[in-house]
Amino acid sequence: MMRLRVKPVVAAGGVEPFVVPDDILKGNTAAANDTTAAIDVAYATGISTDAVTGESFVYVADANGKRLVELRRLVFSKQLVSFTTLYSSGSQRMYGYGEHDYYYFINNVNNVTLSLWNTDNGTPWQKPMYGVHPTVFHSDPILQRHFATMWMNSHAQNVHIESHNVTFTAVGGIIDLYVFVDTTPLGVVRQYHQLIGPSAVPPYWALGVHQCRWGYTNLSDVEAVVAGYESANIPLEVVWNDIDYMEKFRVFTTDPTRYPEAALRTFVDKLHAKNMRYVQITDPGVAQADNYSVYTSGIESNAFIHTQDGSVLINAVWPGWTAFPDFTLPSAQAWWADQIATYRSTIPIDGMWLDMNELGTFCGGQCNVAVGTPWSVDWNTVDWNRFTIDICMPNNCTVVESPLNYPPVNPLQNGFQLFNKTLDMTGVLRLGSYYETKTFYGLMEAKSSHDALLAQTGTRPFLLTRASFVGSGRYSAHWTGDNNAQWERGTGGIYDSVQAVLGSNLWGIPMVGADIGGFSGITTEELLVRWYQLGAYYPFTRNHHGLDGPGQEPYRFSQAAQASIRTSLLNKYRLLPYYFTCLVDAHDGLGPVLRHMSLQFPDELQVYQESTQFMVGDAITVPPVVTQGENSTAMFLPLGEWYSLWSGNHMVTVEGDSGFWIIALDELYDGALVVGAYGGNIVPMHETPAMTVTATQASGVGLRAFMDSAGEASGHLVIASDVPLDQQVVTRMNFTASGSMASGVLTTMGNGETRANTTRLPTAVTVRVSFPTLPDCGNSATPYYAPANVSISIGSTDDMTVLPLVRNVTLNLTCSSISFMLPVGVDATTVFTARWIVGVPQTPSPTASSPSDSKTGAIVGGCIGGIAIVVFTVAIVMWRRRESEGEADYTPLS
């Protein structure tokens, strides 16, 4: 990584431009002076002159002197900073900047400008959205060069892409540019994540299923939701409330009639008794009312943002006339923590949902209203098109005539102003004006809430934020905001959700999901089923809906739909150990949880095309169905061995030609998606999924090994309690397997005390090892090998003990797998070596004693690993899928 700083010389007595404080960017360890600073000798910078134009420019070169990027057309003024990055490559792909609502992950639009400015906009076209991440990743698969640039700037800004050049423009600050270079795109992303700080690892329960709606008007509505899930036998871990629970929409209150405090506390206690959780929405705005202790205590603590004349800055949001905390103030952070503690002593919420923290308001600017000014808006009948005329203007809500509100150059697109739907830019915070600090307001609220919950509970907090900035992932999860119940790309629906969650993973916020079924609009049964089949693979899986139409809880739909959704969610619970391990890996800087295919296979040119297929860690690829009426899905399979994750069956050996395989689905409600497992990986899974995460954990952790063509596989597992990772001894188990159906060995190794458990515990779990399909096995249902001729040993490497094939040990052999029960234990920490030896085949065959001789190289697995480099040609194979409860069979279609 290199940090390059360029800023103008300020005359004596002049005002220095605002620079984002380094404590906002916790991972920043690069010392920087006014010009340049490098922390890697592989980088070099210099100043050169264009021989044609005479323009002077700054460049960054690699260790061989090859120029990676040139900074040209530098513009510095008090309220305008702009520069263009020029790149020498003509085949590069660009991605990563956001937050935006485009349907693509990799840019495929030329001459496009994207506004970056935290704003309460759901899915508008080319308008600023919730997050600001001015980072552009570049991949050149032809020259095999990968790098990224990140501009640390907190002002309103835009990114303009034209050809292979990017122009950054902002209304202030300096050029504080970070450059990351690596031999792989995954290596570039890892460097970026190491800079912006470790991502938060959620508590284990947060990986479960969540249900929410804006429109649970009474507590009885929420109680009915829990009963509906239980009656339908569909997993549910966390129940949520939107703003319905509040009294007059005031934060840290409950409505005395619709959500009476005592009854709500009893409901939460009952959830906890069932090992379930409860989360509520929390807006940052505080109602301006002298009979409201949250407001009066905030005044006493000097906790709020002020106007230039020193009065509290007021605007309008859900509770009416509202003040807003300055989370950069230590006194405000302490006051906020007190409010959380006081409220949790009555309603013990398990997490916080931080909404409207862009900041989002209903009037632009500031409102000159006295305490006690009545609020007469009826939210059920309000005309939003006349809100400014009917509410804001009559109550002295104005925009200050200041260059901060009206800069000489507005970088925001489509006529959007800096003050639209937010506070006046002249607002005063501890670190600077609102004009300078707005973009990290949500980050600072998340940090304050995170620190408060951590101190109060002693466990890793679960926070969900809408607004985000560089480094927000250190404190919170993210959801993609107000999306739509739509199919088509560019509509903010299921298709676009894939690109959104992949972008969040790039930004170092791996715990992310989209509202399943769509927040706005009315979903259909087909859309909901397909979205659950996809959403089960989001790290954060939540069904959330707005006020439109009927509810979209899964139990409201047909029995067939419920069965399909149930299968998808139970499969998610099986994968919880793998997802948790991937999240810890992301925290450790080893890469995103969800990955665009180009991060895993950067030399495959086809992966740079528009697609919705993605990887989960190194081992799993997910090809969702995101088209209405579609009965098949295309899965791109690079070089190697590929298996069905859920059946364990071998799908195909890709030996020289990567390509797309079309998986044909017999019908919509045919269970779970066909999900691919990449040979060379061992995936840890919970043995028996249940209705809650706690019950699922009790079933133990089994292993599924998918051997590559060299007969090898590896993986790992992280086990930790919910206390902070740095306050416990985290268990890390590594797994390796080698061999064939004829004979092989699987070994586990831990970082703790080595202990072999050779007793047949009730917690014995299934270990399944899958191989490329044996030659001459065909599709016969008869096992290829005789079970009577199989022996399995378990113990330490030097002292193997035969484990008899009785009662608690079941053995199953197919054409491509062997599975057996082993006493791995509930926490999977038993250290063992298991060996299998298979005797003479039932039906002898010249090639029956070993798997395919095809050699395509070992792919090391887990959530980190190698990258296959192959030559691409398109091949299409049709497979017919028959699946029941996640088990699938494949036969070639003639």
Side-chain angles (χ1 to χ4, degrees):
M1 180 197 77
M2 160 171 281
R3 186 181 188 185
L4 175 67
R5 274 191 167 186
V6 182
K7 68 178 185 179
V9 176
V10 179
V15 178
E16 291 284 342
F18 182 82
V19 177
V20 179
D22 282 349
D23 59 1
I24 298 296
L25 189 63
K26 290 295 184 183
N28 175 27
T29 57
N33 54 32
D34 291 347
T35 53
T36 66
I39 61 170
D40 191 325
V41 295
Y43 299 84
T45 61
I47 299 177
S48 186
T49 302
D50 190 296
V52 177
T53 66
E55 174 192 9
S56 296
F57 60 89
V58 180
Y59 67 83
V60 178
D62 62 18
N64 298 317
K66 178 68 175 179
R67 291 182 183 176
L68 301 172
V69 57
E70 296 176 358
L71 272 66
R72 294 183 176 239
R73 306 167 195 161
L74 275 65
V75 176
F76 276 108
S77 69
K78 184 176 181 179
Q79 287 187 271
L80 180 63
V81 178
S82 181
F83 61 96
T84 298
T85 54
L86 275 65
Y87 306 96
S88 58
S89 169
S91 62
Q92 66 177 327
R93 276 69 169 177
M94 289 181 282
Y95 51 95
Y97 42 88
E99 187 168 9
H100 66 75
D101 65 335
Y102 295 163
Y103 59 84
Y104 55 79
F105 176 82
I106 294 177
N107 180 64
N108 60 9
V109 180
N110 191 31
N111 195 24
V112 62
T113 302
L114 172 69
S115 303
L116 299 180
W117 189 233
N118 309 79
T119 308
D120 177 13
N121 284 325
T123 53
W125 182 251
Q126 289 188 338
K127 285 186 179 179
M129 286 187 68
Y130 310 114
V132 172
H133 301 273
T135 304
V136 181
F137 293 86
H138 304 256
S139 286
D140 187 336
I142 303 299
L143 298 180
Q144 297 185 3
R145 294 172 52 198
H146 310 277
F147 63 98
T149 55
M150 189 271 284
W151 186 21
M152 179 48 64
N153 190 300
S154 61
H155 294 77
Q157 58 192 273
N158 69 45
V159 176
H160 178 76
I161 297 173
E162 187 170 1
S163 185
H164 300 290
N165 302 323
V166 180
T167 298
F168 297 87
T169 302
V171 293
I174 66 170
I175 298 177
D176 195 356
L177 194 70
Y178 294 80
V179 181
F180 313 86
V181 183
D182 205 279
T183 55
T184 68
L186 190 58
V188 173
V189 175
R190 288 172 179 169
Q191 287 188 45
Y192 176 61
H193 289 178
Q194 289 165 4
L195 169 72
I196 64 178
S199 56
V201 178
Y204 203 74
W205 57 262
L207 296 175
V209 177
H210 303 247
Q211 177 62 53
C212 184
R213 186 184 183 183
W214 179 19
Y216 292 151
T217 307
N218 302 286
L219 179 58
S220 59
D221 294 339
V222 187
E223 293 171 329
V225 168
V226 176
Y229 268 90
E230 291 176 342
S231 177
N233 204 33
I234 296 174
L236 179 62
E237 184 72 13
V238 189
V239 181
W240 293 60
N241 261 129
D242 208 312
I243 59 176
D244 309 278
Y245 77 91
M246 299 179 186
E247 181 181 13
K248 300 179 181 178
F249 300 131
R250 294 180 176 182
V251 69
F252 301 122
T253 68
T254 61
D255 187 276
T257 302
R258 295 178 295 104
Y259 283 85
E261 188 176 281
L264 181 57
R265 174 60 185 257
T266 299
F267 169 73
V268 175
D269 289 343
K270 288 180 178 178
L271 287 180
H272 290 163
K274 297 177 181 179
N275 292 314
M276 298 171 66
R277 316 288 172 164
Y278 180 62
V279 175
Q280 293 178 332
I281 197 169
T282 303
D283 289 345
V286 175
Q288 183 193 35
D290 54 14
N291 62 348
Y292 176 38
S293 64
V294 178
Y295 174 75
T296 56
S297 63
I299 293 294
E300 294 170 358
S301 300
N302 192 31
F304 298 123
I305 298 172
H306 288 79
T307 64
Q308 289 180 311
D309 65 10
S311 60
V312 174
L313 195 156
I314 301 297
N315 205 303
V317 204
W318 294 112
W321 307 120
T322 306
F324 303 90
D326 174 7
F327 290 108
T328 68
L329 276 169
S331 60
Q333 295 166 11
W335 162 82
W336 186 252
D338 288 343
Q339 306 312 307
I340 294 173
T342 300
Y343 184 75
R344 290 189 71 255
S345 67
T346 302
I347 308 298
I349 55 175
D350 297 289
M352 296 178 69
W353 174 14
L354 308 178
D355 195 23
M356 301 294 290
N357 55 346
E358 290 76 23
L359 282 161
T361 67
F362 299 154
C363 297
Q366 59 192 40
C367 303
N368 185 18
V369 291
V371 178
T373 300
W375 180 258
S376 57
V377 175
D378 183 347
W379 294 120
N380 295 316
T381 62
V382 64
D383 183 350
W384 288 104
N385 293 322
R386 291 184 53 84
F387 196 93
T388 297
I389 297 173
D390 294 344
I391 305 299
C392 302
M393 294 175 63
N395 287 282
N396 297 319
C397 296
T398 59
V399 177
V400 175
E401 287 291 336
S402 166
L404 299 186
N405 286 310
Y406 302 98
V409 176
N410 180 7
L412 307 183
Q413 301 299 295
N414 297 334
F416 204 86
Q417 298 295 324
L418 273 64
F419 52 79
N420 285 160
K421 303 177 73 171
T422 195
L423 305 185
D424 200 275
M425 295 296 109
T426 61
V428 178
L429 292 83
R430 181 181 70 90
L431 291 183
S433 68
Y434 189 59
Y435 176 89
E436 297 164 326
T437 64
K438 177 186 189 300
T439 55
F440 54 80
Y441 184 90
L443 182 152
M444 293 305 296
E445 184 200 22
K447 180 182 183 303
S448 299
S449 304
H450 174 278
D451 293 350
L453 286 176
L454 178 60
Q456 292 167 27
T457 67
T459 60
R460 296 192 304 277
F462 176 67
L463 298 167
L464 185 71
T465 183
R466 192 170 70 179
S468 65
F469 185 64
V470 176
S472 285
R474 299 195 305 270
Y475 308 111
S476 62
H478 177 57
W479 94 105
T480 61
D482 296 349
N483 61 357
N484 297 315
Q486 297 286 339
W487 292 91
E488 293 77 15
R489 67 182 189 178
T491 60
I494 185 173
Y495 189 104
D496 299 347
S497 76
V498 176
Q499 321 309 330
V501 296
L502 292 178
S504 181
N505 271 264
L506 275 183
W507 307 328
I509 316 177
M511 186 63 177
V512 62
D515 288 343
I516 293 174
F519 174 77
S520 299
I522 300 175
T523 196
T524 64
E525 184 168 283
E526 180 188 3
L527 178 58
L528 187 70
V529 168
R530 290 300 191 212
W531 213 324
Y532 265 107
Q533 290 175 347
L534 163 63
Y537 295 93
Y538 300 153
F540 175 58
T541 300
R542 184 181 71 160
N543 180 325
H544 179 44
H545 187 48
L547 296 173
D548 303 339
Q552 61 187 30
E553 296 84 0
Y555 59 78
R556 298 184 185 276
F557 295 83
S558 70
Q559 291 297 315
Q562 291 181 41
S564 181
I565 293 170
R566 184 184 303 112
T567 296
S568 297
L569 296 179
L570 290 176
N571 281 342
K572 177 182 179 67
Y573 278 36
R574 288 185 174 97
L575 283 174
L576 294 184
Y578 180 73
Y579 269 80
F580 184 76
T581 298
C582 288
L583 283 161
V584 175
D585 285 350
H587 168 84
D588 292 341
L590 300 179
V593 176
L594 303 187
R595 305 171 181 181
H596 190 268
M597 295 293 287
S598 63
L599 292 187
Q600 203 71 19
F601 308 102
D603 302 300
E604 297 277 4
L605 296 182
Q606 289 292 335
V607 300
Y608 295 93
Q609 296 180 356
E610 185 183 330
S611 172
T612 55
Q613 182 179 344
F614 58 90
M615 296 291 294
V616 183
D618 278 352
I620 298 172
T621 188
V622 179
V625 180
V626 294
T627 303
Q628 186 176 11
E630 188 61 73
N631 63 356
S632 65
T633 181
M635 184 185 298
F636 177 77
L637 302 178
L639 179 73
E641 303 292 347
W642 289 93
Y643 303 81
S644 167
L645 175 67
W646 297 117
S647 71
N649 292 340
H650 183 255
M651 294 171 60
V652 67
T653 299
V654 183
E655 294 187 279
D657 298 332
S658 303
F660 288 92
W661 270 254
I662 307 298
I663 308 299
L665 309 176
D666 287 338
E667 57 182 90
L668 170 64
Y669 306 117
D670 200 26
L673 280 175
V674 178
V675 176
Y678 194 22
N681 290 284
I682 298 177
V683 178
M685 295 188 188
H686 281 312
E687 180 70 4
T688 306
M691 295 299 102
T692 66
V693 170
T694 299
T696 299
Q697 280 182 289
S699 70
V701 180
L703 304 175
R704 296 199 182 188
F706 302 95
M707 305 296 271
D708 64 19
S709 297
E712 297 180 354
S714 64
H716 67 288
L717 170 68
V718 177
I719 304 165
S721 70
D722 287 343
V723 302
L725 297 180
D726 60 0
Q727 297 178 22
Q728 61 176 302
V729 177
V730 177
T731 299
R732 301 175 188 269
M733 303 294 295
N734 295 305
F735 313 112
T736 60
S738 61
S740 66
M741 281 286 287
S743 64
V745 60
L746 187 149
T747 301
T748 75
M749 298 159 285
N751 65 335
E753 179 184 357
T754 300
R755 52 191 179 92
N757 190 337
T758 58
T759 60
R760 296 187 297 278
L761 299 175
T763 54
V765 294
T766 301
V767 174
R768 179 169 187 162
V769 186
S770 297
F771 305 87
T773 304
L774 292 169
D776 301 330
C777 186
N779 294 306
S780 171
T782 303
Y784 194 70
Y785 290 108
N789 295 327
V790 179
S791 64
I792 300 176
S793 301
I794 180 172
S796 66
T797 303
D798 300 324
D799 180 21
M800 301 300 297
T801 302
V802 174
L803 189 67
L805 301 177
V806 295
R807 199 157 54 96
N808 287 333
V809 179
T810 60
L811 176 69
N812 183 41
L813 291 134
T814 69
C815 291
S816 66
S817 68
I818 177 173
S819 59
F820 41 85
M821 300 292 287
L822 287 178
V824 177
V826 172
D827 60 359
T829 56
T830 301
V831 178
F832 66 85
T833 296
R835 291 178 178 148
W836 61 90
I837 301 175
V838 179
V840 179
Q842 276 186 320
T843 306
S845 169
T847 59
S849 61
S850 65
S852 169
D853 291 331
S854 169
K855 303 293 184 183
T856 58
I859 306 298
V860 180
C863 289
I864 57 175
I867 297 173
I869 303 176
V870 298
V871 178
F872 179 86
T873 60
V874 174
I876 297 179
V877 174
M878 294 294 292
W879 299 89
R880 185 177 303 280
R881 168 175 175 262
R882 299 188 302 277
E883 183 171 295
S884 174
E885 292 299 307
E887 296 297 320
D889 293 324
Y890 302 85
T891 55
L893 290 178
S894 58

